[in-house]
Amino acid sequence: MFIGYFTERPYQDPRSGYFGATGRSITDLTMSNASYDPKLGAQLYNRYLDEKIYAEEMGFDGLMLNEHHSTPFCMGGVMNLEAAILARITNRAKIVLLGNILPIWDDPLFLAEELAEIDMISQGRLVTGWVRGTGRESVAHNAVAPYNWERFQEAHDFIIDAWTRPGPFRWEGEHYHFRYVNPWARPYQEPHPPIWIPGVMSRNTVAWAAEKRYPYVMLATELEPTKESYGYYTDVAKEHGYETGTQHRGYLFKVHVDETEELAEQAGRKYVQGPSNPFLEGNQGVVRPFIQNLPGLTQRNNLLPTMRSFAAAASRGRAAQHRKENKKAKEQPKPKKFDTYTDQTNKYSIISGTPKSVIPKVKHVLETLRPGSIFFWDGDGAMSHEDSMRSLRLMGSDVIPAVREIADELELKGPFEVDPKTNKPIVDTDEANSTDNPSSHPSG
Amino acid sequence: MQSSVEFEQLQIAIPSGDVAYIVAGRGKPVVYLHHSWGSPGALPFHHNLVALGLRTIVPDLPGWGGSHRPAWARDVRDIAILVGCVIDALKLGPVTLIGSGFGGYIATELATMSPSRMSSLILIGAVGLYPEEGEILDQMMLSHRQYIQESFRDLQTYIDHFGEEPEPEIRTLWDLSREMTARVSWKPYMHNRRLKHLLPGVSCPVLIVQGESDKVVPCSVATQSESLLPNSRLEVVPNAGHLVEFEEPKLVSDLVHDHIRNL
């Protein structure tokens, strides 16, 4: 089992009025950066980096970062920069990028170089993940929405070539053109860093990931639709002649641990009290469908079962289609109330409690989905540094050891134990090497 | 004045695939190129043209409506080239091209690259030039309904044309049209900075029609066009929005008729 830690790194500004239990909601892509305070930004960036260092100390296997643009709910616009810093200031945990938004890169050679450098500085700890991005990202970086999928695939092929094919060579593609591909930086890992694909609802992407045997990480989707989406991955895998295992399945979910149930509820409620985040159920703000669902961004009729989860659908501006799908599936005759903390705790969307109450719920998730890698999404919304640190400490002392035992019982093997490409066990040579490598931490 | 003649629905093959079009009337041919959001069919404006003795042809632009999508097209010029193919395939000879909004952009591009196909040009609220003042309204940042509503002079005129809630077919038309628009004109959005260098070479007579209250295309674009096109005339229609030919079909069809009659 691979256990990672994630927070979306919200821009938390209590003075903004868009914050806290009584905060106003934000209409996506309408908030001016005139209200951005770089001094506050400086504190927050450093806070989130400090928390990542502590997460490593507490035993997490991976430190997950993500990327969004022109929005206060995620400060990771330049995720690779944070990853490069983590590469230097941490020394054991994998740096998991889920993910770079390939279609918005007009120069993917730059991305290939950046990721190779991160992999080298971290001495082979990079897990790279690639996404297509939402409409927000296409708007923010003005990437032509209808070519999103084509550009994603071509940029992927190009970066793999740039990493693995001896240069110099030419690339004359449909969307990318390079007359001299010969990056003077190659990844530390051979043939290249592992690639994991995160997602929410595009069937195209799941099929593509399954075809390439890339682990697929479902991002905070509800349990049953997630299970069905894994099923779709498995079906595609069978068509390509292999069986899937736990190493192909990843899952991100909201978990907060605290010293008492009261504190846990207090902090857990803060998930939905930060700046509006279309991906944080209960505090999604106003998502404008015509932007999230830009023309040609994804095929209207090729969506995963997660479409039936209102939160996932709404984050993509597909609430109307969600209602239609729901009607078709005859799941619920009436729209359900989704926006309360209690609703989410009841359906395992938020797990918040003491270690004693959290561990059985995490176990339920593991039994239901059987993922080989999981990520605890914590420290988000309006949670303070203190909230995050208390949770991290208890995760380290109680939850992570217990989850490892449960994972062993359930035989949940992660992608560093069983190779998703071959389904064969991976012989761990890192431990032997790590004693030769004490200088990877600056304090060395 | 409006003709009661039924428009015939036909298809013509060009290298990118079949192009759907409607046609009615006899006389000098005029080809109408629709807005970015597609052609909703024969308009009162089109019937007026027929009644004025013009053979009126309204194609769905290649990639829009019932016309085959050229998935390879990346630029407005690609669509203009294909419209040239339509004119050739229909054996129209030098023709009067009427382009509205985005259709005006295509007509302008075609005029710069293929003047022999054109006897005259009529640009109604046309985009294509980068506005020296103001900005072209960005439909990608608005819902379909908001954008079309802004294209009319006021809300009531919008409702008169599309009702409180547009029909599902119309919403689908808007949705698919926007995708095709994005494929060729996402960036630069609705303009080509090279055009201003080419417009002085367009020698055919050009009528420029601009709604005085156009909220989509700044009036500066029309005045720029007038100053760059050597044989052009600008008509500003008072109290009209971007969709002048929808709002003032008689006035605009009369302007077209006069323009063609004087050729």
Side-chain angles (χ1 to χ4, degrees):
Chain A
M1 164 66 69
F2 180 91
I3 306 174
Y5 178 73
F6 171 69
T7 175
E8 193 121 40
R9 290 100 73 221
Y11 177 80
Q12 296 181 334
D13 182 0
R15 296 164 302 174
S16 65
Y18 296 98
F19 200 79
T22 57
R24 284 173 287 158
S25 71
I26 298 172
T27 299
D28 201 23
L29 277 183
T30 59
M31 193 169 176
S32 167
N33 66 356
S35 58
Y36 189 91
D37 176 358
K39 293 191 174 53
L40 182 57
Q43 287 172 23
L44 289 167
Y45 275 120
N46 284 295
R47 167 192 154 182
Y48 295 133
L49 288 168
D50 289 346
E51 289 170 6
K52 289 285 194 293
I53 295 173
Y54 191 55
E56 182 186 57
E57 286 173 18
M58 289 301 100
F60 278 97
D61 302 315
L63 308 173
M64 172 180 160
L65 295 170
N66 72 333
E67 174 184 332
H68 284 289
H69 296 267
S70 300
T71 174
F73 73 74
C74 174
M75 293 177 67
V78 194
M79 170 181 71
N80 292 358
L81 206 55
E82 294 171 85
I85 294 166
L86 287 175
R88 183 63 180 151
I89 65 175
T90 61
N91 57 20
R92 181 190 52 79
K94 303 287 184 189
I95 298 159
V96 186
L97 306 184
L98 298 179
N100 285 117
I101 304 161
L102 293 190
I104 68 172
W105 285 77
D106 282 335
D107 182 352
L109 183 56
F110 234 132
L111 180 58
E113 291 176 307
E114 286 181 15
L115 294 174
E117 284 191 29
I118 294 165
D119 200 36
M120 284 186 284
I121 294 167
S122 68
Q123 292 177 305
R125 290 186 288 126
L126 175 67
V127 175
T128 186
W130 296 336
V131 299
R132 297 175 58 189
T134 65
R136 176 192 314 95
E137 277 67 56
S138 289
V139 166
H141 283 265
N142 212 19
V144 187
Y147 304 138
N148 177 283
W149 180 225
E150 291 175 23
R151 282 167 67 95
F152 176 87
Q153 294 175 87
E154 189 180 330
H156 164 275
D157 295 348
F158 171 77
I159 293 170
I160 298 293
D161 267 23
W163 279 345
T164 58
R165 186 172 150 194
F169 61 87
R170 268 177 77 172
W171 184 276
E172 297 290 350
E174 179 70 27
H175 295 281
Y176 299 107
H177 310 273
F178 295 92
R179 56 173 30 89
Y180 184 78
V181 183
N182 192 26
W184 207 251
R186 287 181 43 220
Y188 188 90
Q189 298 175 83
E190 292 283 350
H192 56 72
I195 297 170
W196 300 355
I197 303 299
V200 175
M201 62 170 54
S202 165
R203 283 172 72 90
N204 277 345
T205 313
V206 171
W208 178 88
E211 187 188 324
K212 299 196 176 306
R213 302 186 74 145
Y214 293 151
Y216 195 77
V217 184
M218 298 292 291
L219 302 176
T221 43
E222 290 181 21
L223 294 183
E224 279 310 311
T226 302
K227 204 171 161 183
E228 288 177 46
S229 300
Y230 287 155
Y232 178 59
Y233 184 108
T234 298
D235 292 344
V236 176
K238 277 182 187 153
E239 285 168 23
H240 287 85
Y242 73 95
E243 294 293 327
T244 58
T246 57
Q247 65 275 15
H248 295 104
R249 295 192 287 272
Y251 187 56
L252 166 76
F253 57 123
K254 292 182 281 254
V255 179
H256 177 81
V257 193
D258 225 314
E259 290 160 357
T260 64
E261 292 297 336
E262 291 71 29
L263 267 178
E265 183 176 340
Q266 218 175 68
R269 286 188 180 277
K270 293 182 188 174
Y271 273 117
V272 294
Q273 293 173 1
S276 300
N277 178 344
F279 302 94
L280 259 176
E281 190 177 345
N283 183 27
Q284 293 177 300
V286 180
V287 178
R288 296 189 292 169
F290 50 89
I291 288 182
Q292 287 307 307
N293 196 15
L294 284 171
L297 193 68
T298 53
Q299 274 181 260
R300 270 40 168 177
N301 56 356
N302 203 7
L303 301 165
L304 288 171
T306 45
M307 166 56 73
R308 295 205 305 273
S309 151
F310 183 81
S315 73
R316 293 294 196 271
R318 295 177 186 277
Q321 193 160 344
H322 153 78
R323 284 189 282 272
K324 196 172 154 192
E325 290 290 319
N326 246 358
K327 198 174 168 189
K328 205 168 22 175
K330 294 182 180 172
E331 279 193 345
Q332 293 151 358
K334 287 181 183 174
K336 197 174 154 188
K337 192 180 176 189
F338 284 97
D339 59 349
T340 67
Y341 172 76
T342 310
D343 277 339
Q344 291 189 63
T345 53
N346 288 342
K347 62 183 182 182
Y348 297 89
S349 285
I350 292 176
I351 297 174
S352 187
T354 58
K356 193 178 167 190
S357 63
V358 161
I359 290 165
K361 288 180 180 171
V362 172
K363 185 177 182 186
H364 173 78
V365 171
L366 299 186
E367 285 171 337
T368 306
L369 299 179
R370 296 192 53 75
S373 48
I374 56 171
F375 297 88
F376 293 156
W377 181 0
D378 195 9
D380 217 298
M383 285 190 208
S384 66
H385 178 59
E386 290 69 31
D387 294 330
S388 299
M389 295 299 271
R390 283 198 313 278
S391 184
L392 282 168
R393 175 168 54 77
L394 292 164
M395 283 177 174
S397 61
D398 295 62
V399 178
I400 291 174
V403 169
R404 290 203 195 284
E405 278 182 27
I406 295 164
D408 283 345
E409 282 167 28
L410 297 173
E411 296 183 10
L412 304 177
K413 302 289 186 191
F416 291 103
E417 296 166 281
V418 175
D419 186 348
K421 291 280 181 194
T422 61
N423 284 0
K424 290 183 178 159
I426 295 171
V427 179
D428 185 7
T429 54
D430 281 358
E431 281 197 7
N433 293 339
S434 65
T435 53
D436 302 330
N437 187 23
S439 63
S440 58
H441 193 283
S443 61
Chain B
M1 180 185 69
Q2 190 172 309
S3 140
S4 57
V5 173
E6 284 288 312
F7 273 75
E8 201 178 354
Q9 294 188 26
L10 297 170
Q11 293 213 325
I12 185 85
I14 63 167
S16 65
D18 286 351
V19 169
Y21 67 101
I22 55 174
V23 59
R26 293 174 181 279
K28 285 183 182 173
V30 293
V31 175
Y32 172 86
L33 304 182
H34 58 73
H35 289 267
S36 63
W37 47 270
S39 171
L43 305 169
F45 168 65
H46 299 135
H47 282 283
N48 288 351
L49 296 178
V50 173
L52 288 165
L54 296 167
R55 186 181 172 215
T56 304
I57 300 137
V58 184
D60 284 345
L61 290 169
W64 276 259
S67 295
H68 188 264
R69 171 180 288 185
W72 49 266
R74 294 283 184 269
D75 194 283
V76 173
R77 280 189 181 168
D78 294 333
I79 306 302
I81 290 166
L82 294 175
V83 168
C85 295
V86 173
I87 292 170
D88 291 347
L90 291 173
K91 298 185 170 52
L92 296 175
V95 70
T96 290
L97 210 49
I98 306 172
S100 285
F102 176 72
Y105 187 177
I106 291 163
T108 310
E109 288 281 12
L110 185 58
T112 64
M113 69 177 94
S114 189
S116 62
R117 285 191 177 109
M118 227 163 282
S119 56
S120 76
L121 187 60
I122 296 161
L123 303 174
I124 306 173
V127 290
L129 288 173
Y130 180 73
E132 287 173 355
E133 286 175 33
E135 288 182 335
I136 297 165
L137 187 67
D138 185 0
Q139 63 180 283
M140 304 301 168
M141 299 297 281
L142 297 170
S143 70
H144 296 302
R145 186 192 162 113
Q146 284 170 326
Y147 179 66
I148 307 295
Q149 201 174 298
E150 287 296 301
S151 301
F152 284 96
R153 63 182 157 218
D154 54 35
L155 175 62
Q156 190 54 52
T157 317
Y158 163 79
I159 293 170
D160 291 345
H161 282 83
F162 290 107
E164 293 278 357
E165 191 58 43
E167 296 295 321
E169 296 77 25
I170 287 289
R171 292 204 302 268
T172 302
L173 174 74
W174 291 351
D175 196 39
L176 296 177
S177 298
R178 184 175 285 193
E179 179 174 345
M180 197 57 213
T181 303
R183 294 179 79 89
V184 295
S185 192
W186 176 275
K187 64 179 175 182
Y189 182 66
M190 292 288 175
H191 72 274
N192 173 0
R193 286 180 187 270
R194 295 163 290 177
L195 261 182
K196 69 177 178 187
H197 303 286
L198 298 170
L199 289 194
V202 176
S203 56
C204 71
V206 182
L207 170 66
I208 302 161
V209 180
Q210 179 74 24
E212 186 187 31
S213 308
D214 192 328
K215 289 170 277 182
V216 174
V217 184
C219 288
S220 60
V221 174
T223 52
Q224 287 165 242
S225 296
E226 188 191 21
S227 65
L228 288 165
L229 289 159
N231 193 7
S232 65
R233 184 172 72 84
L234 171 62
E235 279 282 344
V236 177
V237 180
N239 192 32
H242 179 57
L243 301 176
V244 196
E245 75 278 28
F246 286 68
E247 295 174 351
E248 301 290 349
K250 179 174 185 319
L251 190 152
V252 180
S253 52
D254 285 348
L255 285 172
V256 170
H257 186 242
D258 289 347
H259 175 74
I260 293 173
R261 195 175 51 190
N262 295 332
L263 288 178

